[in-house]
Amino acid sequence: MDAPLIFNVQKFSTHDGDGVRTTIFFKGCPLRCHWCHNPESQRYDKELMLHHHKCTACGSCVSRCPEGANQILDGKLFFNRALCTACGNCVDWCPTEAREIVGEEYTVDELVKEAKKDLIFYEQSGGGVTLSGGEVMDMKNFDFVVELCRKLHKEGISVYIDTSGYAPYERFEKILPYVDVFLYDIKRITREEHIEYIGVDNALILENLKRLSDAGAGLYIRIPVIGGVNASPASITRAINFLKENNIKARQINLLPYHDIGKGKYAGLDRPYEDTKMLIPDKNEMEQFKTMFEEHGFSKVYIGG
Ligand code: SF4
Ligand code: SF4
């Protein structure tokens, strides 16, 4: 079976778990969070990202495209994504680097080799490798993910997985021996709101969290906090109650304030940025939510990742 596509290998990351980490971003996700800041992570196939602001309408890409997907009309570039096969022929011919293919194949050994280059930094900082996405746990060739974790673990590298939890529990069970921490997202507690903002029911996600906790998995709970969506004491209280009532043994809580940095990427993929009503929560609100967790006995609560 084909290897999953990777859309970024980010070195020296300090926002995806402890210490200095190499974050490997997998392409493909079954969820559609309104606030997703990595829209290039959503589809499982390769795609062309077009950075419109860099395009000077020079026309170089027109003759390079075997599918006729590019045309210059009235001094402007028109790109027909429906014709594009993401072959990449046009990319190197663009003088302004306005074109980029998102999604690349790697072997497990190539990724392990890349990760090992920074061993010294992991050792000094308590870091390691984080697998992120997209949704790592939903990759069709899941054996690839298991093998990657197994090999990293064998090298003594700490492995974290950033997950929405939306995958069969058997997959978590299979990978558990090689994973030090799951960075586990709790996006919404009520089923209706979860369907509205994320596109799927959350029953499986919450059930998997309970089972992982019971199995003794390392868990950092991550809650995206979005103004106009869940940045309210009532919503935070629901999350706290769920964690307490189900005795979820979280090693830490990360409250992640919404940002709209990824907004521009939607245009590059010809997709609309659906929700314009989302707001960046202010610092005082975030402090208030942090205090709420602390008052309920959670000792390690952080704002940010
Ligand atoms: S990636 Fe290939 S098919 Fe798509 S626009 Fe470029 S040359 Fe055409
Ligand atoms: S080659 Fe690049 S700069 Fe030239 S028209 Fe195509 S996208 Fe625009």
Side-chain angles (χ1 to χ4, degrees):
M1 196 185 282
D2 292 343
L5 293 176
I6 307 295
F7 72 91
N8 192 10
V9 177
Q10 192 177 321
K11 316 277 271 183
F12 304 106
S13 168
T14 52
H15 298 288
D16 297 307
D18 299 308
V20 171
R21 311 193 74 82
T22 297
T23 304
I24 301 170
F25 290 90
F26 285 70
K27 187 160 164 48
C29 182
L31 311 185
R32 286 295 175 269
C33 305
H34 285 208
W35 48 85
C36 180
H37 59 269
N38 282 333
E40 73 274 40
S41 75
Q42 293 178 337
R43 296 196 177 151
Y44 292 80
D45 301 322
K46 284 187 186 186
E47 50 195 332
L48 181 82
M49 171 90 83
L50 186 52
H51 303 285
H52 294 278
H53 64 284
K54 290 185 180 176
C55 175
T56 56
C58 73
S60 291
C61 52
V62 175
S63 61
R64 303 294 165 187
C65 178
E67 311 298 334
N70 307 292
Q71 297 296 332
I72 301 289
L73 298 170
D74 291 335
K76 262 184 85 178
L77 170 71
F78 287 83
F79 170 55
N80 185 347
R81 186 170 292 277
L83 296 178
C84 176
T85 57
C87 69
N89 281 355
C90 57
V91 172
D92 288 342
W93 293 96
C94 176
T96 62
E97 299 183 353
R99 294 174 168 254
E100 172 189 358
I101 294 293
V102 184
E104 213 179 314
E105 292 97 356
Y106 287 81
T107 64
V108 166
D109 288 341
E110 282 169 344
L111 290 171
V112 172
K113 191 175 166 195
E114 197 55 40
K116 280 174 69 179
K117 288 180 186 167
D118 293 334
L119 265 177
I120 187 78
F121 300 110
Y122 309 151
E123 282 164 14
Q124 286 171 0
S125 68
V129 170
T130 298
L131 309 190
S132 186
E135 178 48 68
V136 178
M137 300 300 294
D138 190 56
M139 291 299 117
K140 283 184 187 67
N141 185 352
F142 188 62
D143 287 344
F144 180 100
V145 180
V146 177
E147 185 61 2
L148 176 58
C149 292
R150 192 187 68 76
K151 286 198 168 172
L152 290 168
H153 182 78
K154 198 171 163 214
E155 295 288 346
I157 298 174
S158 124
V159 179
Y160 288 12
I161 288 187
D162 187 2
T163 180
S164 68
Y166 192 69
Y169 185 73
E170 295 66 41
R171 288 189 164 207
F172 287 96
E173 215 165 23
K174 199 169 177 185
I175 213 162
L176 197 50
Y178 316 120
V179 177
D180 297 276
V181 169
F182 290 95
L183 308 174
Y184 204 102
D185 283 8
I186 296 287
K187 300 172 198 287
R188 307 292 289 151
I189 295 294
T190 65
R191 180 177 174 272
E192 295 71 23
E193 287 172 336
H194 205 276
I195 292 171
E196 181 183 349
Y197 288 104
I198 289 111
V200 300
D201 193 328
N202 61 355
L204 177 67
I205 293 168
L206 299 179
E207 184 58 27
N208 281 344
L209 179 56
K210 290 184 219 167
R211 294 179 76 175
L212 277 171
S213 177
D214 290 345
L219 288 168
Y220 292 0
I221 302 297
R222 288 154 78 92
I223 303 179
V225 181
I226 302 130
V229 178
N230 69 339
S232 69
S235 191
I236 296 297
T237 300
R238 272 197 287 277
I240 291 170
N241 289 347
F242 172 82
L243 296 174
K244 287 189 77 92
E245 283 162 15
N246 292 285
N247 193 25
I248 303 295
K249 294 178 256 325
R251 291 189 197 164
Q252 70 181 52
I253 307 290
N254 292 88
L255 302 173
L256 310 175
Y258 165 72
H259 61 73
D260 60 5
I261 295 168
K263 217 170 168 175
K265 293 195 266 184
Y266 282 79
L269 295 165
D270 296 314
R271 276 182 237 161
Y273 191 69
E274 299 283 357
D275 206 322
T276 50
K277 289 186 234 90
M278 295 178 296
L279 303 168
I280 297 167
D282 72 38
K283 277 189 180 167
N284 291 341
E285 269 182 313
M286 293 303 295
E287 285 298 338
Q288 182 196 352
F289 301 148
K290 178 174 183 284
T291 304
M292 285 173 67
F293 270 95
E294 287 165 346
E295 285 174 352
H296 282 84
F298 294 89
S299 56
K300 290 187 172 180
V301 186
Y302 304 101
I303 296 172

